[in-house]
């Protein structure tokens, strides 16, 4: 089903339960490959990227049981060569390298795929692995990594912050004898969640403000772990409620993971209350324009920039959105212009002039988060919005049509 239609405008009013974090679940799954015992993972989101990952795992001999929770056992992994078709579908497949290298001393994978949102270089992953003693070769779009016996402990300072490379180095370092230190690392909640997961399984990882210290252990053991709520899914629904002048309660979420985003929504005029596992938002008037600038955590997340753009194109006043993480995270802009938005791109900035209305038309989703932004636009647009290539949305949002229907949105698959 490659299209959806939304009849707008509608207000998002109601209560929904937020799913487990996509950006935690994926590295936690790949970290599980280091363990030879059963691991039970709770709060795993039912999304396309998880499905692809589990399909990839089944191809290499991982035993998987899935009902309410996920039970995974990687004892009988037998391969160190993987199907290109699956590798190309998700960026997260880069995290295969560390656990497979440790088990087989060699790994060869195709350069991973994922959303086309600008350059997503693998050089920092490889830089870190080389610092740990790995030999690396790039040939015909393949990454080939080898070690003689074991990786060696070291102190690694990344030249720039990278979520993916930080995770690659954590996974590579857990079983290295001695102390490995990682500096200039990513501090996203999903990194901390993965560290907590690994420590539950017997790893010795100490997280500090300026460094991650990893004391190597001989092996990891099985265990049970619950993934944190998805802060990006939460932010998406909160933004939708601000834009539509709605009222929403998001349960099974954590306001502490969204402090910067909540502050920006308050500046736009939203009334927000939070508790241990909920965020309640009410918006009764047209939002005020708010400048945002994407930066690594704890600042405004790039994964919510396309959604926040909808708020600013319908807000009072002018605004500037600055994208500092990805070079091509403006796939939504051209489509919003089709709907009547007064918006233009200048280098890495979006200049928005707020208008009262946008209008439904046929638009094209080109990546996961631009798909989310177009869905929000469809909710508040006048008339019918048809969104093509909507399959992107299922990579990161569980039951999105069902949740939107609960909130009063008229949405249908085609």
């Amino acid at each position: 089903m490659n299209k959806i239609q939304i009849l707008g405008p509608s207000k998002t009013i109601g209560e929904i339960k937020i799913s487990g974090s996509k950006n935690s679940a994926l590295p936690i799954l790949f970290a599980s490959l280091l363990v030879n015992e059963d691991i039970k993972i709770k709060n795993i989101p039912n999304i396309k990227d998880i499905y692809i990952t589990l399909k990839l795992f089944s191809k290499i001999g991982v035993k998987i049981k899935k009902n309410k929770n996920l039970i995974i056992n990687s004892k009988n992994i037998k391969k160190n060569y993987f199907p290109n078709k699956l590798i190309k579908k998700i960026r997260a497949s880069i995290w295969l390298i560390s656990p497979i290298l440790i088990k087989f001393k060699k790994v060869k994978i195709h350069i991973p795929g994922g959303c086309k949102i600008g350059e997503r270089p693998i050089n920092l992953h490889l830089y870190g692995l080389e610092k740990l003693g790995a030999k690396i070769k790039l040939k015909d779009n393949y990454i080939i990594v080898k070690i003689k016996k074991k990786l060696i402990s070291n102190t690694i300072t990344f030249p720039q912050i990278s979520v993916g490379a930080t995770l690659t180095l954590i996974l590579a370092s857990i079983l290295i004898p001695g102390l490995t230190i990682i500096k200039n690392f990513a501090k996203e909640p999903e990194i901390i969640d993965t560290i907590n997961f690994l420590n539950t399984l017997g790893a010795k990882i100490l997280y500090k403000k300026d460094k991650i210290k990893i004391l190597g252990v001989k092996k990891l053991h099985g265990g049970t772990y619950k993934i944190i709520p998805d802060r990006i899914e939460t932010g998406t629904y909160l933004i939708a409620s601000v834009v539509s002048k709605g009222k929403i309660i998001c349960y099974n979420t954590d306001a502490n993971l969204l402090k910067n985003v909540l502050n920006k929504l308050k500046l736009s005029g939203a009334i927000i209350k939070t508790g241990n596992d909920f965020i309640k938002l009410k918006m009764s008037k047209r939002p005020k324009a708010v400048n945002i600038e994407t930066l690594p955590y704890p600042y405004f997340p790039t994964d919510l920039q396309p959604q926040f753009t909808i708020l600013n194109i319908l807000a009072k006043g002018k605004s500037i959105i600055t994208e500092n993480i990805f070079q091509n995270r403006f796939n939504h802009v051209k489509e919003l212009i089709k709907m009547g938005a007064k918006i233009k791109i200048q280098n890495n900035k979006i200049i928005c002039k707020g208008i009262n209305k946008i209008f439904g038309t046929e638009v094209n989703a080109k990546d996961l988060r631009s798909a989310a932004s177009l869905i929000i636009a469809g909710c508040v647009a006048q008339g019918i919005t048809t969104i093509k290539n909507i399959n992107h949305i299922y990579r990161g949002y569980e039951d999105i049509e069902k949740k939107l229907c609960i909130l009063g949105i008229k949405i249908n698959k085609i």
Side-chain angles (χ1 to χ4, degrees), residues 193-207:
D193 203 29
T194 306
I195 289 173
N196 291 338
F197 166 73
L198 288 164
N199 284 340
T200 299
L201 306 183
K204 293 182 178 179
I205 307 171
L206 182 62
Y207 168 85

Side-chain angles (χ1 to χ4, degrees), residues 53-258:
T53 299
L54 295 178
K55 189 173 181 181
L56 174 60
F57 283 11
S58 69
K59 296 286 186 184
I60 61 173
V62 178
K63 289 185 179 179
I64 299 162
K65 294 179 185 176
K66 193 173 190 304
N67 37 57
K68 184 178 179 181
N69 302 311
L70 178 70
I71 299 174
I72 186 167
N73 188 304
S74 304
K75 182 179 179 180
N76 296 316
I77 291 179
K78 296 177 181 178
K79 296 183 180 180
N80 64 344
Y81 181 82
F82 312 99
N84 291 347
K85 186 176 180 181
L86 295 173
I87 295 292
K88 290 177 181 178
K89 285 185 176 180
I90 51 169
R91 178 73 180 175
S93 55
I94 191 75
W95 293 320
L96 275 170
I97 292 176
S98 292
I100 299 302
L101 183 65
I102 290 167
K103 288 199 171 190
F104 293 95
K105 316 301 180 192
K106 178 183 177 181
V107 58
K108 178 181 178 181
I109 69 166
H110 197 280
I111 292 175
C115 285
K116 296 178 180 178
I117 52 175
E119 291 181 18
R120 305 176 84 176
I122 58 170
N123 62 304
L124 293 175
H125 298 257
L126 306 184
Y127 166 84
L129 290 170
E130 284 182 328
K131 291 288 185 182
L132 298 178
K135 303 296 181 185
I136 298 168
K137 184 191 294 184
L138 297 175
K139 185 178 180 182
D140 300 328
N141 287 322
Y142 281 88
I143 308 165
I144 303 165
V145 188
K146 298 179 182 179
I147 53 175
K148 287 184 178 180
K149 292 183 179 180
K150 288 187 176 181
L151 293 166
I152 54 173
S153 60
N154 201 350
T155 296
I156 299 105
T157 302
F158 283 118
Q160 65 188 78
I161 294 173
S162 165
V163 171
T166 299
L167 287 161
T168 289
L169 263 290
I170 290 171
L171 299 188
S173 303
I174 293 163
L175 300 176
I176 299 175
L179 180 65
T180 299
I181 297 173
I182 305 172
K183 296 181 178 181
N184 198 31
F185 58 94
K187 299 177 177 66
E188 270 66 10
E190 296 79 16
I191 299 273
I192 311 308
D193 203 29
T194 306
I195 289 173
N196 291 338
F197 166 73
L198 288 164
N199 284 340
T200 299
L201 306 183
K204 293 182 178 179
I205 307 171
L206 182 62
Y207 168 85
K208 293 188 173 182
K209 272 190 173 182
D210 62 337
K211 67 182 75 169
I212 297 173
K213 298 172 73 174
I214 304 170
L215 183 62
V217 296
K218 289 186 177 180
K219 68 174 185 176
L220 300 174
H221 55 72
T224 299
Y225 191 78
K226 184 178 180 180
I227 291 168
I228 61 172
D230 195 311
R231 62 190 173 107
I232 305 303
E233 184 193 20
T234 305
T236 299
Y237 287 113
L238 293 175
I239 292 168
S241 291
V242 171
V243 175
S244 68
K245 302 172 192 170
K247 183 178 180 181
I248 190 172
I249 304 177
C250 295
Y251 288 105
N252 189 40
T253 192
D254 186 346
N256 291 320
L257 306 179
L258 283 160

Side-chain angles (χ1 to χ4, degrees), residues 194-345:
T194 306
I195 289 173
N196 291 338
F197 166 73
L198 288 164
N199 284 340
T200 299
L201 306 183
K204 293 182 178 179
I205 307 171
L206 182 62
Y207 168 85
K208 293 188 173 182
K209 272 190 173 182
D210 62 337
K211 67 182 75 169
I212 297 173
K213 298 172 73 174
I214 304 170
L215 183 62
V217 296
K218 289 186 177 180
K219 68 174 185 176
L220 300 174
H221 55 72
T224 299
Y225 191 78
K226 184 178 180 180
I227 291 168
I228 61 172
D230 195 311
R231 62 190 173 107
I232 305 303
E233 184 193 20
T234 305
T236 299
Y237 287 113
L238 293 175
I239 292 168
S241 291
V242 171
V243 175
S244 68
K245 302 172 192 170
K247 183 178 180 181
I248 190 172
I249 304 177
C250 295
Y251 288 105
N252 189 40
T253 192
D254 186 346
N256 291 320
L257 306 179
L258 283 160
K259 288 180 180 178
N260 188 283
V261 175
L262 296 181
N263 287 339
K264 294 294 185 182
L265 293 178
K266 287 175 182 177
L267 287 174
S268 77
I271 299 169
I272 298 173
K273 293 182 180 180
T274 63
N276 288 335
D277 70 340
F278 74 87
I279 301 173
K280 183 178 181 181
L281 182 147
K282 183 179 179 181
M283 189 72 175
S284 57
K285 55 188 177 182
R286 185 181 174 192
K288 298 174 185 175
V290 180
N291 294 336
I292 64 166
E293 183 176 3
T294 67
L295 288 166
Y297 189 85
Y299 300 101
F300 197 93
T302 180
D303 280 357
L304 284 174
Q305 176 263 109
Q307 298 90 308
F308 207 92
T309 304
I310 309 301
L311 188 156
N312 275 343
I313 67 172
L314 290 168
K316 291 180 184 176
K318 293 182 180 180
S319 61
I320 299 174
I321 296 172
T322 307
E323 175 58 55
N324 292 310
I325 308 298
F326 293 116
Q327 300 92 334
N328 191 32
R329 191 146 230 176
F330 295 152
N331 287 330
H332 52 300
V333 171
K334 182 179 177 182
E335 306 308 308
L336 293 175
I337 290 171
K338 292 178 186 177
M339 302 177 78
K342 298 278 182 73
I343 183 172
K344 61 182 178 180
I345 299 170

Side-chain angles (χ1 to χ4, degrees), residues 362-407:
E362 185 170 271
V363 290
N364 185 21
K366 296 180 181 178
D367 62 73
L368 168 59
R369 304 306 173 185
S370 75
S373 74
L374 294 176
I375 286 176
I376 296 173
C379 293
V380 295
Q382 305 288 317
I384 295 173
T385 300
T386 302
I387 306 173
K388 299 189 296 182
N389 291 322
I390 198 58
N391 285 343
H392 288 294
I393 201 70
Y394 306 120
R395 291 189 48 233
Y397 291 85
E398 180 177 3
D399 294 333
I400 188 165
E401 291 101 340
K402 182 180 176 180
K403 290 179 182 180
L404 287 171
C405 284
I406 289 170
L407 295 173

